[in-house]
Amino acid sequence: MRRLYSIAVVAVMRHHAIDLPSGGPKAVPHNSPENGRTGMGDMAKVQLQGVRKVYDNGQVAVQGATFEVADGELMVLVGPSGCGKSTLLRMVAGLEEISGGTLTIGDRVVNDVAPKDRDIAMVFQSYALYPHMTVAENLAFGLKLRGHDKATIAKRVNEAAQTLGLTEMLDKLPKAMSGGQRQRVALGRALVREPAVFLLDEPLSNLDAKLRHSVRTEIAQLHRKLGTTMIYVTHDQVEAMTLGQRIVVLKDGIIQQIDTPMALYDRPANLFVAGFLGSPAMNVLRGTLERGNDGLVVAQASLRAPLGDAAVDAAWVGKSIAVGVRPEHLQPAVAGDAQGFDAEIEGIEPVGNEIFVNMRHGDQALVMRVAPQVLPAVGESIRVAIQPQGLHFFDAETGERLNHDA
């Protein structure tokens, strides 16, 4: 009964949404003089070794996940729906049983430890605050359930309110607050627990685009201030790139790659990672790699795209290959440029500081990202050149990255 009760308490927390820090700077430890805060619980690294989840029907949701979230790190789990990211997070929380492998928080194996005893706080998509309670009462509710004294509750509530900019709203009811403010209260309910690890599952899903950006920024600042270990789940690659210090990319329950945001962008391990991270997505040219008088080209029945002086292994020439080109590495070329090719413009999308040009070369759809400029009209031809320094080469069959041995 005690375990069922603890799971129920954590389940209540699932209604509270949270948001995360913007990706980049190294987290400052919580007890560092830089942040002046020493109230949080002991920091903890999270280690997964061969963690699996297999349901009773035989479905494998997570296949042998192995990675470590460092003490104070903000790690993002990203991937499409059904990739296993939320299942993985729920196993860390103790809301899903682990079918195999070892999960360690701090120095303790927690495979069979109840959620309430893992020193974690979890926030899910919906903030679902108690509508009849004020902000202060919502923040204090979980602490009351855990039997904390009034002085401790008041101290933690006031500290969380000050950290999140809620001090002037403590007497308000949720209905009198904006979505972003309610989101901060939801975060505060987890914050007052002073956990060693925050677990965040799609916390920005219920916010509009403007609020998503502002709350992302607030969470980034919060993480830098607290330096608490955080694991954040999202399907949005923009959230992943801007929030994560490192990112775990998943597909079909299998980890595809783990690295920093820009390392994933610059050196994707396979075609899935290459296409998933980056907006617009990477262009992929499939064909045979040929070497002619004017250099390398990738060619097939309706495609012939010069690759300039791109560095490749001699063994790749004459073989079927997939060539990845980011939209910013396609640029307009001078008419007749031997290192260019002609494409038909199918759409022009000006977005202010840049323009996305949707084109077609033979059967190949392409997207080019350019600075604001005068372009041919839709339906007309444009000469385009590939910048060879921005090319990525992948095995046409396996999709794995091909690395050039310089």
Side-chain angles (χ1 to χ4, degrees):
M1 283 296 294
R2 185 179 181 185
R3 178 172 174 81
L4 289 174
Y5 174 76
S6 69
I7 292 177
V9 171
V10 177
V12 170
M13 295 177 62
R14 295 176 58 184
H15 300 300
H16 318 338
I18 203 176
D19 315 322
L20 286 188
S22 76
K26 175 86 174 155
V28 178
H30 78 295
N31 55 0
S32 166
E34 292 181 48
N35 64 38
R37 182 178 175 89
T38 58
M40 299 301 289
D42 291 338
M43 295 295 101
K45 64 182 179 182
V46 179
Q47 295 175 294
L48 293 87
Q49 185 64 46
V51 170
R52 288 170 51 83
K53 178 62 182 179
V54 183
Y55 290 106
D56 293 340
N57 63 3
Q59 176 190 353
V60 180
V62 177
Q63 302 189 37
T66 298
F67 62 90
E68 177 179 309
V69 185
D71 183 5
E73 182 178 19
L74 197 168
M75 178 78 87
V76 175
L77 311 182
V78 69
S81 297
C83 72
K85 56 188 183 295
S86 289
T87 301
L88 196 52
L89 194 74
R90 288 170 61 83
M91 285 193 287
V92 175
L95 300 177
E96 290 276 5
E97 290 187 4
I98 297 173
S99 304
T102 303
L103 171 63
T104 305
I105 298 178
D107 297 322
R108 182 173 58 149
V109 175
V110 298
N111 288 45
D112 300 316
V113 175
K116 71 179 181 64
D117 297 324
R118 295 192 180 195
D119 199 12
I120 56 95
M122 192 162 186
V123 184
F124 286 71
Q125 293 181 21
S126 172
Y127 20 86
L129 303 174
Y130 296 106
H132 63 289
M133 294 184 183
T134 64
V135 170
E137 291 168 337
N138 268 286
L139 292 175
F141 184 72
L143 298 178
K144 289 181 180 179
L145 284 181
R146 288 170 174 79
H148 289 284
D149 60 74
K150 290 183 178 180
T152 298
I153 293 173
K155 178 176 180 292
R156 291 192 186 182
V157 167
N158 288 329
E159 285 180 349
Q162 185 174 4
T163 298
L164 296 168
L166 296 171
T167 302
E168 303 300 321
M169 305 177 192
L170 287 174
D171 294 328
K172 286 189 175 183
L173 293 173
K175 66 181 180 181
M177 307 177 75
S178 68
Q181 290 168 339
R182 279 179 278 179
Q183 189 78 309
R184 276 187 267 158
V185 178
L187 174 56
R189 293 183 67 162
L191 187 62
V192 294
R193 289 202 48 214
E194 300 185 351
V197 181
F198 280 102
L199 306 178
L200 315 168
D201 193 2
E202 304 269 15
L204 304 183
S205 298
N206 293 333
L207 301 180
D208 61 32
K210 184 177 181 180
L211 273 178
R212 288 167 78 95
H213 179 269
S214 64
V215 177
R216 268 206 320 259
T217 302
E218 289 176 4
I219 293 180
Q221 294 168 347
L222 181 63
H223 179 256
R224 285 196 294 269
K225 181 175 182 179
L226 301 179
T228 313
T229 306
M230 292 184 176
I231 305 177
Y232 183 99
V233 162
T234 181
H235 66 277
D236 187 320
Q237 53 96 8
V238 174
E239 283 181 32
M241 293 288 287
T242 55
L243 292 177
Q245 293 173 310
R246 285 191 301 152
I247 299 173
V248 179
V249 184
L250 292 113
K251 178 190 177 188
D252 299 330
I254 301 172
I255 293 176
Q256 304 295 305
Q257 189 173 359
I258 305 174
D259 216 324
T260 61
M262 289 313 300
L264 291 172
Y265 189 82
D266 292 336
R267 290 187 61 81
N270 55 43
L271 280 170
F272 174 78
V273 177
F276 190 80
L277 294 177
S279 181
M282 179 183 286
N283 300 291
V284 180
L285 310 176
R286 296 179 181 271
T288 302
L289 189 62
E290 300 177 355
R291 189 181 296 279
N293 294 332
D294 294 324
L296 290 168
V297 297
V298 58
Q300 46 114 313
S302 60
L303 168 73
R304 189 171 183 83
L307 305 181
D309 57 355
V312 301
D313 278 2
W316 303 351
V317 178
K319 295 183 177 179
S320 181
I321 201 168
V323 181
V325 188
R326 295 284 183 196
E328 59 268 27
H329 294 137
L330 278 176
Q331 291 295 308
V334 178
D337 185 346
Q339 292 301 314
F341 59 92
D342 293 322
E344 180 183 345
I345 296 180
E346 296 187 326
I348 297 176
E349 302 176 61
V351 292
N353 64 326
E354 58 189 1
I355 300 174
F356 301 140
V357 185
N358 298 287
M359 310 173 293
R360 185 165 296 276
H361 175 64
D363 295 331
Q364 177 75 52
L366 300 167
V367 180
M368 176 171 63
R369 185 200 307 264
V370 298
Q373 60 188 273
V374 178
L375 295 164
V378 172
E380 294 184 356
S381 178
I382 185 172
R383 192 75 173 171
V384 177
I386 294 173
Q387 297 179 347
Q389 72 274 18
L391 293 176
H392 306 261
F393 296 91
F394 303 93
D395 186 287
E397 294 184 3
T398 67
E400 295 300 307
R401 183 181 189 86
L402 298 173
N403 294 308
H404 171 57
D405 296 326

